[in-house]
Amino acid sequence: MDRKLSRPFILFGGDYNPDQWDDETIDQDIEVFKKTKINTVTLPVFSWAKLEPSEGIYNFEWLDHILDKLDEAGLSYFLATPTSAQPAWLSRKYPEVLPVDIAGRKRTHGMRVFFCVNSDKFRERAAIIAGKMAERYKDRPGLIGWHVANEYGTYCYCENCQKKFRSWLKERYKTLDELNLRWHTCFWGKTLYDFEEVVVPTELNDDYRFNPAVQLDYMRFITDSTIECYENEAKILKAATPTLPVFTNISGYIKKLDQSKMVSHMDTAGWDNYPWPTDERSFPAMKHDIMRALKGGESYYVMEQSPNQQNWQPYNKLKKPGEVRRLAYQGLAHGSDSSLYFQMRQSVAGQEKFHGAVISHSGRTDTRIIREFTELGGELEKLGDQFICGKADSRIGIVFDWNNWWALELCSGPSKDMDYLREVHRYYKHFYYNNYSVDFLIQDVDYSKYKVIVAPMLYMMKEGIAEKLREFTRNGGILIGTYMTGYADENDRCIYGAYPGPLKDVFGIWVEETDALYQDEYNQIHEIDDDSCSYKCSFLCDLIHTESANTLAVYERDFYAGLPAVTVNSFGNGKAYYIATAPDYEYLDKLINRILVDEKVEPVMKSSGEIEIVKRIKDGDEYIFAINHGNERGIIYIGDNHYKNLLTEDQVTGTIDISAGDVMVMKKGIDK
Ligand SMILES: [Zn+2]
C-alpha cells in the first residue's frame, strides 16, 4: 500500500447501515460517534436495491443526505460498492446472475454474496453502479477509500462457469495431452478427447468432485474469476480516485479463495475478525499475522469485529468486560491500522437482528458497550498516528500457502482430520505464547533475514520452493519440517522416490509409511538420551529411515516403537529438523525453545502470566504492546531499558506488573 494513502489516526468505528432508519435516529447515532470518538464508518454495503430501485433508475439522494451529515460531523468513511447484494429485480430479470450450488441446484434470489462471479450481466450492472458512485462521491471530504462488495467467496457451478472453466484450462494447459497428464485422467479411465468434455466438479459428477486435481484447479479458477469480478469495479474506482486505497474485506473464514492472490490486486489487505469464544487467544493472533503477510509485512485493516456477541454461532457468548479492548489492541499489535466493527447500530429485524452493535435495540447510551467504546475511543485518539504503518521485526518465519491448504484437505487419506490451519497453529502457538515475533512467508518472500523457518505440512512442492528452503538451510538457517511434507506437485501428483520428495537430502531421512491415529488415540515419544520423560503424539505417525540425520526422539508404542520420531540433519551451514508426528505442546515447547536458545533468537520481552507481547517498529521507534488476557495480574520483564507507557504517560523499566485484563502500549526510550 502506498503509505501516503493512510490516515494519520487509528481508524475506529465500522459498518453503518443508516438506510434502515430515520433522520432523528441518524442524528442520535452521530452524537454517539462523537461521544465514543468513532471516526470512521463503512457504508452502504448492502444498499444496491435502494440505490437502483429498477434497472437504470437511481436514487442517490438519501445517501447524499447521510454523507452530508457525516461530512458535517467530520467523520471519515469507506464507501462500499453495494454489489454483494444484488436487487431482486436484477435476479428476476437476468436469472443468469444467480448461482448454481455444488449440488447442481439453481438457487433463487436471496442472501448476500449470492451471485455468479462469472456472470457478464452481473459484472455489467455492478460496473455501472460502481461508476455512478465513483463519479458522484469522488470529491467528498470524508471519503478515505473504497470497499468493493463484501466478503467474496461464492462458488458457482453454472453452465457459464463451466464454459469459462474450460477456457481457463485451455489457457493454462494449452493442449488436451497436457491436461490429461496433469489431471492423470488415465486413472479410472477418464481420458479427455475434447475440452468440451470437461465438466464442473459438482455432486452431479462425483468423479470430478472427488478428483483432487480437478477440485484444486476449480478453486484456482474461482479465485481468478473472483479477482476479475473485483477488478471489474476496482479499476473504475481507481480511475476516479487514484490516490485512495481500493480493496475488499476478507471473510474471517479465509480458506475459500487464495487470499494471497486476491490481495495482490488490492492496495491493502482488510479482513473480518470473528474469533469463536472457544478459540485460543493465539488463533486470532495467527490470522492477524497471516493478514500482515498478504502485502509483504505492510500494515492492514481490521474491517469488522463484533462489538459484543455474534448471532450466527450456536451459543453466542457476550464479550466479557475489557474483551473488546483486548481484541482491538491485539489487532493493532500485529499490524492493523484500524479497529472497525460490525455494526454501529443493531438492526431492528432481519437475519442479524441479535448481532451485537455499539448502539443496541435499547438506543440508550448508558450501556456497558458504549462505556467500553468511549474509553477505547479516547485511548486510540490519544495514541494518534504513532505506530501507524509500523512493521514487525521477525527472525522466525512460517511457510503458508493456500494451494497447499486446499490440496491437503482435498486428500482422501491418510486421515479425515486433515486441518492445515490447526497444524500451522500447533507450531505457531509455541512462538506466540513465548512472545516471539513471527512472519508468515507467503509467495515470493526473501528468506535470508530469517534464522528459523517452520514449514508445517508443506505437502505441495510448488516450483522453486524446495530450492529456496535448501538454500536457506545451506546458508545456515534452521528449517523445521513435519509429516505430510514433499508429497505432491502443483497438480497433486505424488512425487515418486519417497517423501519428503526433493527435501529428502535436506532432512536426511525418507518416509516409508504413514500411520493415521484415531481422534482419541495417541502414541508416545521420548528423547533418546532421556527415556524418563514421555510425551504424547497424535494425528499421524511417519515411519521414517534416517540416512544422514541423527535421531532425537523415538516412538514408544505399536509395531514401530523405537523408530525415529524426531530427527535433525546438518545441511551446509544449517540444520533441518524433521518432526514425524504431531507431538503435544510440552514436547514442542522443549524442542523449539532449545533451537531458539541455540540460535540466539530473542523474544520481544519475557513475561509471566497470560500476557501477549508484540512489537511494532516505525521510523526506528519501537512500540511494545502488552495485553494481559488472564484473570490474574502478570509480570513483564523489561530489564534495563526504559519505556513510556503511552496510555498513562508513566515511565517504566525493570520488572513491572500488569493487572488482570489490562493493556499497555509502550514506546522505547526516555521521554524528553
Ligand atoms: Zn456461475
Side-chain angles (χ1 to χ4, degrees):
M1 181 179 177
D2 185 343
R3 293 294 93 192
K4 72 178 184 291
L5 302 181
S6 296
R7 295 291 121 179
F9 49 85
I10 298 163
L11 308 184
F12 181 55
D15 279 50
Y16 186 45
N17 302 292
D19 42 319
Q20 299 174 69
W21 35 83
D22 59 23
D23 240 27
E24 192 188 340
T25 312
I26 293 167
D27 291 338
Q28 286 169 12
D29 293 346
I30 288 176
E31 285 311 305
V32 172
F33 298 160
K34 286 180 183 164
K35 175 184 161 81
T36 52
K37 311 285 187 197
I38 279 173
N39 55 37
T40 302
V41 293
T42 303
L43 76 170
V45 178
F46 300 113
S47 304
W48 193 349
K50 187 154 180 168
L51 291 168
E52 190 179 0
S54 65
E55 186 170 356
I57 306 297
Y58 294 93
N59 172 16
F60 281 104
E61 287 71 23
W62 64 270
L63 184 56
D64 299 345
H65 180 62
I66 291 165
L67 296 182
D68 286 344
K69 284 178 179 287
L70 297 178
D71 282 335
E72 195 183 324
L75 284 149
S76 298
Y77 39 85
F78 287 111
L79 279 174
T81 63
T83 49
S84 62
Q86 76 272 20
W89 61 257
L90 205 159
S91 298
R92 186 162 164 243
K93 191 168 177 186
Y94 306 107
E96 71 259 39
V97 306
L98 291 170
V100 170
D101 69 13
I102 192 162
R105 297 175 303 182
K106 178 74 173 174
R107 305 302 298 266
T108 58
H109 179 78
M111 284 297 284
R112 71 235 167 104
V113 207
F114 213 55
F115 53 86
C116 169
V117 286
N118 281 307
S119 161
D120 292 333
K121 183 51 77 173
F122 176 86
R123 290 188 191 176
E124 175 198 310
R125 299 309 315 172
I128 293 171
I129 192 147
K132 297 239 174 241
M133 284 184 73
E135 199 45 48
R136 194 173 188 99
Y137 298 128
K138 62 181 170 44
D139 298 321
R140 280 272 174 181
L143 179 64
I144 59 168
W146 294 97
H147 173 294
V148 177
N150 181 68
E151 295 189 345
Y152 283 110
T154 300
Y155 272 63
C156 177
Y157 302 85
C158 73
E159 284 283 329
N160 186 40
C161 285
Q162 179 164 274
K163 191 170 128 231
K164 290 199 173 177
F165 183 45
R166 290 169 182 162
S167 306
W168 184 91
L169 290 168
K170 233 181 264 183
E171 174 73 25
R172 187 176 176 92
Y173 298 118
K174 312 297 182 211
T175 66
L176 274 168
D177 285 349
E178 186 66 12
L179 180 63
N180 280 314
L181 185 75
R182 300 291 195 107
W183 281 4
H184 196 66
T185 51
C186 51
F187 186 75
W188 280 359
K190 296 295 170 253
T191 306
L192 296 160
Y193 293 99
D194 192 318
F195 276 100
E196 295 301 304
E197 292 166 10
V198 170
V199 294
V200 288
T202 65
E203 289 170 11
L204 304 176
N205 186 297
D206 283 348
D207 273 337
Y208 272 26
R209 186 161 64 100
F210 293 119
N211 183 337
V214 180
Q215 287 271 26
L216 194 55
D217 271 344
Y218 205 68
M219 296 174 94
R220 289 170 173 148
F221 162 72
I222 290 290
T223 295
D224 286 355
S225 304
T226 307
I227 290 168
E228 282 178 14
C229 198
Y230 164 83
E231 284 281 13
N232 174 55
E233 297 175 45
K235 65 175 193 270
I236 295 166
L237 305 169
K238 201 80 209 160
T241 55
T243 60
L244 293 182
V246 182
F247 63 107
T248 189
N249 54 332
I250 300 168
S251 153
Y253 179 65
I254 59 176
K255 180 184 167 184
K256 290 180 280 194
L257 301 171
D258 180 346
Q259 303 297 352
S260 62
K261 202 168 180 194
M262 282 286 296
V263 172
S264 70
H265 292 259
M266 298 175 196
D267 291 319
T268 184
W271 81 293
D272 300 345
N273 177 30
Y274 290 102
W276 287 67
T278 47
D279 283 346
E280 284 183 70
R281 61 181 163 91
S282 47
F283 201 67
M286 179 177 83
K287 283 194 178 173
H288 280 299
D289 283 346
I290 292 172
M291 292 299 134
R292 192 180 70 243
L294 292 176
K295 276 284 179 193
E298 300 284 354
S299 53
Y300 58 90
Y301 292 132
V302 170
M303 292 305 291
E304 293 181 25
Q305 307 189 88
S306 178
N308 198 353
Q309 81 285 355
Q310 276 114 248
N311 70 295
W312 41 263
Q313 293 173 337
Y315 304 95
N316 295 281
K317 302 295 287 181
L318 294 177
K319 289 226 168 23
K320 293 189 169 25
E323 198 175 337
V324 162
R325 179 174 181 243
R326 288 188 293 277
L327 270 179
Y329 281 105
Q330 185 177 56
L332 296 169
H334 286 267
S336 174
D337 285 344
S338 70
S339 198
L340 300 170
Y341 297 81
F342 178 88
Q343 53 197 329
M344 296 299 93
R345 179 182 277 273
Q346 205 165 22
S347 62
V348 72
Q351 293 87 329
E352 294 191 301
K353 65 180 181 294
F354 289 134
H355 195 289
V358 176
I359 306 164
S360 68
H361 287 155
S362 74
R364 297 183 65 110
T365 55
D366 55 347
T367 62
R368 175 174 74 93
I369 295 301
I370 289 195
R371 276 196 300 278
E372 292 196 25
F373 265 73
T374 306
E375 283 170 27
L376 178 59
E379 286 182 358
L380 300 186
E381 188 177 76
K382 186 174 176 187
L383 290 167
D385 67 347
Q386 296 193 70
F387 51 78
I388 295 279
C389 303
K391 296 186 179 187
D393 178 28
S394 313
R395 293 292 169 270
I396 299 160
I398 296 181
V399 177
F400 190 85
D401 185 272
W402 262 265
N403 283 195
N404 185 63
W405 186 356
W406 296 341
L408 268 169
E409 295 184 12
L410 287 168
C411 285
S412 174
S415 165
K416 77 170 184 60
D417 297 333
M418 203 66 76
D419 184 336
Y420 181 52
L421 217 50
R422 180 194 66 187
E423 292 305 311
V424 171
H425 181 246
R426 185 190 296 280
Y427 297 90
Y428 173 84
K429 72 183 194 183
H430 168 85
F431 303 112
Y432 172 86
Y433 285 115
N434 290 288
N435 303 337
Y436 288 95
S437 179
V438 174
D439 281 346
F440 277 87
L441 311 179
I442 302 177
Q443 294 181 327
D444 300 323
V445 185
D446 177 11
Y447 287 178
S448 62
K449 71 174 265 204
Y450 299 98
K451 286 195 164 179
V452 176
I453 289 182
V454 192
M457 298 210 295
L458 192 60
Y459 169 87
M460 183 184 285
M461 290 284 104
K462 280 185 167 175
E463 205 179 319
I465 183 73
E467 290 69 27
K468 264 182 99 163
L469 291 170
R470 174 186 303 277
E471 200 58 21
F472 165 77
T473 315
R474 184 182 285 128
N475 291 337
I478 304 299
L479 175 64
I480 302 175
T482 73
Y483 39 91
M484 297 305 290
T485 289
Y487 273 61
D489 70 3
E490 293 187 37
N491 292 95
D492 207 18
R493 293 176 299 182
C494 288
I495 296 165
Y496 274 157
Y499 318 126
L503 293 171
K504 277 198 300 285
D505 61 328
V506 179
F507 290 112
I509 56 125
W510 67 277
V511 179
E512 184 178 342
E513 296 173 278
T514 299
D515 196 17
L517 273 53
Y518 297 121
Q519 274 181 348
D520 56 355
E521 189 186 5
Y522 62 91
N523 201 317
Q524 287 185 179
I525 59 173
H526 68 253
E527 298 203 312
I528 51 166
D529 54 4
D530 180 11
D531 61 5
S532 65
C533 208
S534 291
Y535 304 89
K536 283 184 180 176
C537 62
S538 56
F539 183 37
L540 295 173
C541 297
D542 282 346
L543 280 56
I544 65 174
H545 297 270
T546 53
E547 291 197 315
S548 52
N550 293 318
T551 301
L552 296 177
V554 293
Y555 292 111
E556 291 187 349
R557 296 184 183 178
D558 218 319
F559 71 92
Y560 41 93
L563 284 188
V566 182
T567 61
V568 61
N569 189 47
S570 292
F571 187 81
N573 295 322
K575 286 181 194 165
Y577 290 81
Y578 189 84
I579 302 175
T581 181
D584 64 12
Y585 182 80
E586 197 187 348
Y587 178 73
L588 275 182
D589 205 49
K590 185 175 173 180
L591 175 72
I592 295 177
N593 194 43
R594 203 157 54 203
I595 295 169
L596 295 175
V597 169
D598 282 353
E599 294 306 308
K600 300 186 175 55
V601 181
E602 295 289 331
V604 174
M605 244 177 216
K606 290 194 172 154
S607 63
S608 61
E610 292 184 57
I611 301 175
E612 171 173 5
I613 295 191
V614 190
K615 178 161 71 176
R616 280 180 87 165
I617 295 174
K618 180 188 176 184
D619 301 333
D621 287 327
E622 196 175 285
Y623 297 87
I624 302 284
F625 296 76
I627 305 164
N628 187 350
H629 293 272
N631 295 319
E632 309 282 337
R633 79 179 176 94
I635 298 169
I636 308 171
Y637 303 97
I638 295 181
D640 295 336
N641 290 317
H642 292 263
Y643 286 83
K644 179 186 176 187
N645 182 339
L646 298 175
L647 300 177
T648 62
E649 309 280 330
D650 295 337
Q651 297 287 327
V652 291
T653 187
T655 300
I656 57 166
D657 275 13
I658 175 166
S659 43
D662 202 6
V663 171
M664 292 174 70
V665 184
M666 300 178 279
K667 184 179 180 185
K668 193 173 183 180
I670 295 172
D671 194 31
K672 295 173 187 97

